[in-house]
Amino acid sequence: MPGPAGGGDLEPLADRVLACVQLIPAGRVMSYGDVAEFVGSRAPRQVGRILALAGGTVPWYRVLRSDGSCAEHLHSEQVASLVAEGVPFRGERVDMAAARWDGR
DNA sequence: TTTCTGACACTAG
DNA sequence: CCTAGTGCCAGAA
């Protein structure tokens, strides 16, 4: 194999991130860092960047910060969509302890 | 090649 | 509970 082959870069990081987000079941959520690690990358910021470019093609609202909060521009749609799917909330933030999805 | 930016994560106070 | 500072990686100019 051509290299350490730590995580297969067969496809652009963007495609793998979008695929991971689409795999998230309704009622569950994942943090940017979790998605990044799930795809084999350590750049949670890139995940947000990718969703910003093609977020309209995937349930981006199922992805938020590791503390359960979200960005200002998303706060309104983010919360509305999650509540509609039955995601457990704790005040203004999501209960990651119960809604966090680890890929199984 | 270097430099800047970004829908973040983490630790400390 | 909150804010502030630092480190991380990937892509574009």
Side-chain angles (χ1 to χ4, degrees), chain A residues 14-103:
Chain A
D15 282 10
R16 303 199 340 189
V17 169
L18 295 173
C20 177
V21 176
Q22 285 179 92
L23 292 172
I24 302 174
R28 291 279 188 255
V29 297
M30 266 181 103
S31 68
Y32 295 96
D34 287 355
V35 175
E37 196 171 329
F38 191 89
V39 303
S41 179
R42 294 161 179 154
R45 307 191 70 158
Q46 276 357 18
V47 176
R49 172 74 76 93
I50 292 159
L51 294 176
L53 299 172
T57 66
V58 297
W60 57 267
Y61 51 81
R62 286 180 191 153
V63 185
L64 47 165
R65 295 199 179 186
S66 74
D67 65 330
S69 63
C70 48
E72 281 295 321
H73 26 284
L74 310 175
H75 188 270
S76 73
E77 295 211 27
Q78 173 68 268
V79 177
S81 300
L82 294 174
V83 172
E85 303 226 329
V87 173
F89 266 77
R90 205 225 243 172
E92 299 280 307
R93 300 197 216 301
V94 178
D95 185 355
M96 296 300 284
R100 200 173 189 187
W101 183 64
D102 35 5

